[in-house]
Amino acid sequence: MSPPRIATALVLEGPGWLVTREFPIPALAPGEAILAVEACGLCGTDHEMFDGTMPANLPLIPGHEMVGRIEHATDDFLCSRGLDEGDVVAVEVFQRCGQCKSCRRGAYPLCRKHGMGDSYGSAPISLGCGLWGGYATHAILTADSLVHQVPKGMDPVYATLFNPLGAGIRWGQTLPNVGVGDVVAVLGPGLRGLSSVAAVSNAGAGFILLTGAGARDRTRLKLGERLGANVAVDVRISDAKTLLKQETGGLADIVVDVTAAAPAAFLQAIELARPGGTIVVAGTRGVHTIDRFNPDRLVAKELTLIGARGVDGPAYARALELLADDDRFSAIPHDVAPLDAADVGELLGAMAHGDAPPLHAVVAP
């Protein structure tokens, strides 16, 4: 009898503690498939779980921005998605039952059956076969997993940008319904902020302001101008509100706050929004809170406030189209680590505490 096939993965056992472990690759249940992971992008959630800033259901295999090849699949899985074994796909973070009220209205990140507890990169190894993250050679795809075919020939490392770019499309463009000529302010020049800039630029925004803070953001602000920002400003040097008024004669129709570990940026978002404007607060802030916030600041301007946690299928699909067609994204640099605990830990540490943190970090098993 041949030995069982084995997957290798990095398991986060505790803060700062990644351990290499082996897992048997399971037999497939109806509607399932096995993904051979080719690349997995890293984001702020990864390094915050790694350093213990963000609570997590440990131990788990991190990594929720997966691109990989369908190595083995049931006929049900392939037929329901129009795929073949060997196709390269991008995996959505959340699963979808398709039956609950949230799923039926298209808000499946709020699925009643699934959710954060069994989302990719967050599910514990005690759940099922344990292969729920991209820091691994293989991952399980269930009947409720959502995938998108990657354009033929696209480099898997580059393709992992589908996740942050999808976020930029939904958070920056779709949710606030950016229109031609709108004045938009994007707070935070991380990968999702830069993606938001590109998305609202493609939507025909009339003016885009991008903000950052300090020397760490200098290169990112310059990249933001290449991606479509009219002005990129360091708020430690220049007053963003004054600059916005000088450039446009007023304030922003839409403000997209995608800052990380900077809750005070929300107060700046209120200042930058025009009366009757819209603010999108996207992503999670973990333990970071705002002191002495008065909600009357929202009331006085009659602002619309939108919270955005997840990304949906149309945004991911559009992101893959843009990655194939828009060469501006080739300017984004990639820092790639192999599936090695020390190398990945070093990369996560640089993201959290480095003087020049990588903009797009990737694990490539």
Side-chain angles (χ1 to χ4, degrees):
M1 180 181 294
S2 60
R5 297 178 60 238
I6 297 297
T8 302
L10 301 182
V11 176
L12 184 62
E13 301 273 2
W17 187 17
L18 279 173
V19 177
T20 302
R21 291 180 57 174
E22 292 185 337
F23 294 78
I25 295 177
L28 295 179
E32 291 187 341
I34 296 296
L35 184 81
V37 181
E38 297 188 342
C40 181
L42 311 183
C43 80
T45 300
D46 291 86
H47 72 69
E48 289 185 351
M49 285 199 304
F50 179 71
D51 66 18
T53 303
M54 178 175 288
N57 196 2
L58 304 180
L60 57 78
I61 302 170
H64 60 271
E65 301 181 2
M66 289 187 288
V67 169
R69 175 176 45 83
I70 298 175
E71 186 173 275
H72 181 52
T74 62
D75 289 340
D76 287 349
F77 181 93
L78 297 174
C79 291
S80 64
R81 295 162 175 83
L83 296 170
D84 296 311
E85 288 187 350
D87 284 345
V88 177
V89 296
V91 183
E92 293 196 26
V93 177
F94 295 104
Q95 299 186 72
R96 178 183 64 187
C97 77
Q99 302 300 317
C100 71
K101 183 181 294 186
S102 294
C103 286
R104 291 199 304 272
R105 64 183 175 88
Y108 58 85
L110 303 176
C111 175
R112 296 296 298 272
K113 176 181 177 182
H114 299 293
M116 292 299 294
D118 65 359
S119 63
Y120 285 99
S122 295
I125 60 173
S126 59
L127 180 66
C129 68
L131 294 172
W132 299 103
Y135 296 15
T137 58
H138 296 81
I140 185 71
L141 300 176
T142 74
D144 290 349
S145 296
L146 298 162
V147 300
H148 300 267
Q149 188 165 6
V150 172
K152 300 291 186 183
M154 183 176 289
D155 175 62
V157 168
Y158 178 70
T160 61
L161 287 170
F162 86 94
N163 187 289
L165 181 54
I169 290 169
R170 182 171 187 260
W171 301 350
Q173 176 187 345
T174 306
L175 285 178
N177 193 27
V178 172
V180 174
D182 280 345
V183 175
V184 181
V186 178
L187 313 187
L191 201 48
R192 283 156 180 78
L194 294 172
S195 296
S196 297
V197 166
V200 300
S201 172
N202 286 339
F207 186 88
I208 304 169
L209 172 73
L210 173 65
T211 70
R216 283 169 42 124
D217 287 344
R218 190 173 300 135
T219 300
R220 299 179 178 199
L221 290 172
K222 290 180 180 178
L223 181 56
E225 292 178 335
R226 180 167 179 175
L227 291 172
N230 297 92
V231 175
V233 59
D234 183 340
V235 296
R236 294 182 181 176
I237 297 175
S238 303
D239 182 74
K241 184 177 180 179
T242 298
L243 182 60
L244 187 61
K245 285 184 172 181
Q246 290 173 346
E247 294 289 337
T248 68
L251 296 174
D253 300 297
I254 295 161
V255 183
V256 184
D257 177 7
V258 286
T259 55
F266 178 63
L267 303 181
Q268 184 182 56
I270 296 172
E271 293 300 316
L272 291 175
R274 66 164 173 79
T278 297
I279 297 174
V280 178
V281 182
T284 56
R285 300 301 188 272
V287 299
H288 306 286
T289 59
I290 303 172
D291 293 330
R292 297 183 298 277
F293 168 63
N294 186 347
D296 283 354
R297 304 180 73 182
L298 293 170
V299 173
K301 284 188 171 182
E302 293 197 352
L303 298 175
T304 297
L305 181 63
I306 302 173
R309 181 181 70 173
V311 186
D312 58 16
Y316 284 134
R318 178 59 179 151
L320 287 166
E321 292 175 357
L322 284 177
L323 289 173
D325 298 337
D326 192 334
D327 62 4
R328 290 181 299 171
F329 299 105
S330 64
I332 295 175
H334 318 291
D335 286 68
V336 183
L339 191 65
D340 176 85
D343 289 337
V344 175
E346 183 177 347
L347 191 57
L348 290 166
M351 291 175 67
H353 309 296
D355 293 331
L359 177 61
H360 184 219
V362 182
V363 175

